[in-house]
Amino acid sequence: MALYSEKVMDHFRNPRNVGIIENADGIGEVGNARCGDIMKIYLKVDNDIITDIKFETFGCGSAIASSSMATELIKGKSVHEAMRLTNKAVVEALDGLPSHKVHCSVLAEEAIQAALKDYFTKKGLPFLTMPMTHRADCSCHEC
Amino acid sequence: MKIYADNAATTRVSDHALKAMMPYFQEQYGNPSSLYELGQKAQEALDDARGRMARLLNCQAREIIFTGGGSEANNQAILTAAKLGAKQGKKHIISTAFEHHAVLHPLEALKEEGFDITLLDVHEHGLVTAEEVAQAIRSDTCLVTIMFANNEIGTIQPIKEIGKVCKEKGVLFHTDAVQAVGHEPIDVQDMNIDMLSLSAHKFHGPKGVGALYVKRGIVIAPLIRGGAQEKNKRAGTENVPLIMGMAAAMEDACENMEENSVKIRQMRDYLIDEISQIPHSVLNGDRQQRLSGNVNFCFEGIEGEGLLLLLDDKGVCASSGSACTSGSLDPSHVLLSIGRPHEIAHGSLRLSICEDNTIEEMQAIVRAVKEVVEYLRSISPVWTDLKQGKQQHII
């Protein structure tokens, strides 16, 4: 069996929403280059709806695919719906990830949360859902 | 189009090696330990293969043990030296930080048994010196094990000088020559090598077979017990077809070594010159003291796995020392050992070529690498930060 599902390879080869948003309403960056993954998410929000979303990722195939899928899952949704995005939803939408790559989906969830937090902070609103930093199903150094 | 540029991982079995194996599957299939003619023919074939391989290393036939590959040979050599050392109360072993795991992991296991392990620094260029080995040798040193050529960055160690030092100090010297046999001239007597590991599939032989050269007089410790094969040092019916394929491939590789290496080096130098032009890239390992077919680069701002997947889409088979390709979370210990920071080591690419490659293939590889590196940088936040001066370039 191949390392990655067709879905993962599709999102890796043809990532959706790659790029930068100038004057974004929220920006989140997680990970570090030392561990080999960094994700940066840019949000444009209008009336609590995520009207545009872009990402940049330094990382492996599944990190790029996870970022791409995560942005697809919340584009057009309200910020409140977006806050409920879990890494599990990203993994499921990608038709699964190898166990040592689940870390990438966690990073995608955290990047979205970080961007949302930035958005709420900029608006002077409280951010209640704190990003989780410990995952039973993640094997990275950080968790 | 498929361009195979991962010959350090494994090679294509040559026509000659394949042909040499074929009679031993269905015609000469006897067990070399059997007394009847069919068995004895197999025994003769083994003796013949052993003699031919011994000549190529400049040793005696009885100094060669056939094994199930290079990793087994490395394990057996280290265990042999450790057992001999322990008997004399000598429990210190010298090696280098960038050995193959088939050397490092047995050494780690010995550490738990009370051995003291010194791993020598290989410095920025991926080379140790004989002087450093000499300085590290103590009265309780029972083994020096240093690879002939590194599997990732291809650097060739001063084996003859190290052998001389070990001989003078009376310490056993083993070299993991898996990447070097068939590619670099080797003479175990001239180089004062006491033990040497080799693997057939690195020189167009079959997988799952290798050999350990052990100098006469050294008492070999068996890893596998349960039969009198290989003079009680390696139980199990000899894999006659694979051994015949290995001998044939080794002869070809050694006999054509000079001619092949001229051709391969030309292609390698082209790759190095062209890929060096990619901004913020760096060649890993000394440029001169390296295997003819090895090219290894780090590219700033990208990660190796994506690089390999996209190169595969373009038909190029290569490898990387990034954490993501190894299934672990740390990048290659080899790249860390030459001082590459983690973030740089993640973005590495190894191309290992052979005489079957062509200069047209090299041109296609260069085009593919340039495109893929540029693309991955275009979606990398690290690269954006570097471009905008928010981070300083390391390379």
Side-chain angles (χ1 to χ4, degrees):
Chain A
M1 207 193 87
L3 174 65
Y4 292 131
S5 69
E6 281 296 316
K7 262 284 179 54
V8 173
M9 286 309 290
D10 176 37
H11 276 262
F12 164 64
R13 288 192 182 109
N14 312 295
R16 281 63 147 175
N17 309 311
V18 176
I20 296 173
I21 298 174
E22 302 291 345
N23 308 314
D25 298 315
I27 298 176
E29 183 174 320
V30 295
N32 70 64
R34 201 181 147 78
C35 289
D37 314 275
I38 295 185
M39 284 182 198
K40 195 165 182 180
I41 301 277
Y42 302 81
L43 299 175
K44 198 80 199 159
V45 183
D46 193 8
N47 261 334
D48 277 359
I49 299 294
I50 297 169
T51 54
D52 197 11
I53 180 164
K54 294 268 188 249
F55 80 89
E56 291 181 290
T57 291
F58 161 86
C60 58
S62 60
I64 293 168
S66 295
S67 321
S68 168
M69 182 55 87
T71 58
E72 281 285 272
L73 289 173
I74 64 164
K75 195 175 181 179
K77 301 273 171 65
S78 75
V79 287
H80 306 287
E81 279 176 287
M83 271 189 336
R84 291 197 293 270
L85 178 81
T86 63
N87 80 300
K88 202 163 164 256
V90 175
V91 174
E92 279 167 10
L94 287 170
D95 291 341
L97 281 175
S99 60
H100 65 286
K101 299 287 190 176
V102 170
H103 161 69
C104 297
S105 66
V106 173
L107 216 54
E109 177 196 317
E110 288 177 359
I112 301 279
Q113 295 266 325
L116 290 167
K117 186 179 180 187
D118 184 48
Y119 165 74
F120 281 106
T121 308
K122 277 178 179 160
K123 291 207 82 173
L125 297 168
F127 182 75
L128 299 174
T129 320
M130 287 303 290
M132 294 170 75
T133 52
H134 291 270
R135 305 287 158 148
D137 50 356
C138 179
S139 57
C140 82
H141 290 305
E142 310 292 306
C143 291
Chain B
M1 185 177 59
K2 207 52 152 184
I3 301 173
Y4 189 74
D6 202 14
N7 287 277
T10 195
T11 56
R12 179 179 184 269
V13 171
S14 70
D15 292 348
H16 183 206
L18 185 63
K19 210 174 153 198
M21 287 190 269
M22 293 315 284
Y24 298 93
F25 287 107
Q26 293 187 315
E27 292 147 40
Q28 301 293 329
Y29 56 84
N31 187 322
S33 300
S34 300
L35 282 177
Y36 41 78
E37 199 193 343
L38 194 65
Q40 289 309 296
K41 286 270 190 213
Q43 183 61 53
E44 278 168 29
L46 277 188
D47 291 343
D48 178 53
R50 203 187 303 274
R52 283 152 54 206
M53 286 175 59
R55 267 199 305 280
L56 298 170
L57 294 172
N58 194 24
C59 66
Q60 295 172 25
R62 59 182 163 179
E63 294 175 311
I64 303 248
I65 301 181
F66 294 127
T67 68
S71 294
E72 184 187 325
N74 281 334
N75 273 264
Q76 189 159 17
I78 290 165
L79 182 77
T80 291
K83 285 214 162 167
L84 290 171
K87 265 188 200 164
Q88 302 170 297
K90 293 180 169 184
K91 295 181 92 171
H92 175 234
I93 296 176
I94 298 166
S95 190
T96 73
F98 77 163
E99 296 294 312
H100 192 275
H101 287 136
V103 166
L104 289 178
H105 290 181
L107 292 180
E108 277 166 28
L110 286 173
K111 207 171 174 179
E112 284 169 23
E113 290 176 27
F115 278 78
D116 191 12
I117 312 292
T118 299
L119 296 181
L120 296 173
D121 191 354
V122 293
H123 312 285
E124 197 194 335
H125 292 282
L127 296 167
V128 281
T129 66
E131 292 76 51
E132 287 165 332
V133 175
Q135 279 165 16
I137 291 177
R138 314 190 308 215
S139 58
D140 64 340
T141 305
C142 64
L143 172 70
V144 169
T145 173
I146 292 178
M147 66 200 326
F148 205 110
N150 184 270
N151 51 309
E152 289 186 34
I153 60 173
T155 51
I156 299 168
Q157 306 307 311
I159 293 299
K160 188 174 171 176
E161 288 74 20
I162 295 169
K164 188 163 173 267
V165 162
C166 292
K167 193 189 176 190
E168 283 166 6
K169 303 249 184 183
V171 177
L172 280 184
F173 175 40
H174 165 252
T175 185
D176 167 5
V178 163
Q179 293 290 338
V181 170
H183 305 287
E184 284 295 313
I186 298 178
D187 179 327
V188 293
Q189 292 187 51
D190 180 51
M191 294 174 161
N192 285 305
I193 297 167
D194 296 311
M195 294 188 276
L196 175 145
S197 309
L198 65 89
S199 174
H201 75 114
K202 306 295 191 185
F203 49 77
H204 303 285
K207 294 165 186 63
V209 67
L212 176 63
Y213 151 78
V214 183
K215 193 178 179 178
R216 211 182 139 206
I218 298 169
V219 183
I220 306 166
L223 285 180
I224 301 171
R225 298 164 199 271
Q229 294 88 354
E230 302 299 290
K231 298 204 176 74
N232 284 310
K233 303 308 179 197
R234 207 279 186 181
T237 302
E238 298 88 344
N239 197 331
V240 184
L242 296 198
I243 290 167
M244 300 314 287
M246 168 164 67
M250 190 165 156
E251 271 180 337
D252 285 350
C254 291
E255 279 162 17
N256 302 317
M257 190 185 293
E258 263 190 54
E259 188 190 330
N260 286 344
S261 71
V262 169
K263 182 188 174 193
I264 299 166
R265 210 170 297 158
Q266 219 171 4
M267 293 189 284
R268 176 200 70 185
D269 290 343
Y270 171 81
L271 282 181
I272 293 177
D273 289 341
E274 288 293 319
I275 295 173
S276 297
Q277 289 174 17
I278 296 175
H280 306 289
S281 64
V282 66
L283 178 71
N284 294 312
D286 191 79
R287 172 131 196 196
Q288 305 306 323
Q289 296 300 312
R290 73 188 298 133
L291 291 170
S292 315
N294 178 286
V295 175
N296 191 314
F297 272 90
C298 280
F299 304 105
E300 197 168 21
I302 63 167
E303 199 280 333
E305 191 203 74
L307 183 62
L308 296 191
L309 292 170
L310 291 174
L311 284 177
D312 184 32
D313 281 350
K314 292 177 184 292
V316 178
C317 305
S319 76
S320 170
S322 92
C324 282
T325 57
S326 65
S328 79
L329 292 152
D330 285 317
S332 142
H333 70 287
V334 174
L335 297 175
L336 298 179
S337 78
I338 60 166
R340 297 283 179 248
H342 278 66
E343 46 271 52
I344 298 298
H346 283 299
S348 80
L349 172 70
R350 179 186 71 182
L351 298 160
S352 45
I353 53 175
C354 76
E355 65 277 14
D356 298 337
N357 289 112
T358 64
I359 194 74
E360 289 75 25
E361 288 179 336
M362 300 304 110
Q363 290 161 349
I365 289 174
V366 167
R367 276 196 302 274
V369 170
K370 285 182 176 172
E371 275 173 38
V372 172
V373 170
E374 199 182 320
Y375 166 70
L376 287 172
R377 281 176 171 173
S378 78
I379 67 168
S380 162
V382 177
W383 190 248
T384 303
D385 283 355
L386 288 166
K387 253 188 348 197
Q388 294 174 349
K390 288 182 192 159
Q391 266 185 52
Q392 294 299 308
H393 284 287
I394 301 173
I395 55 174

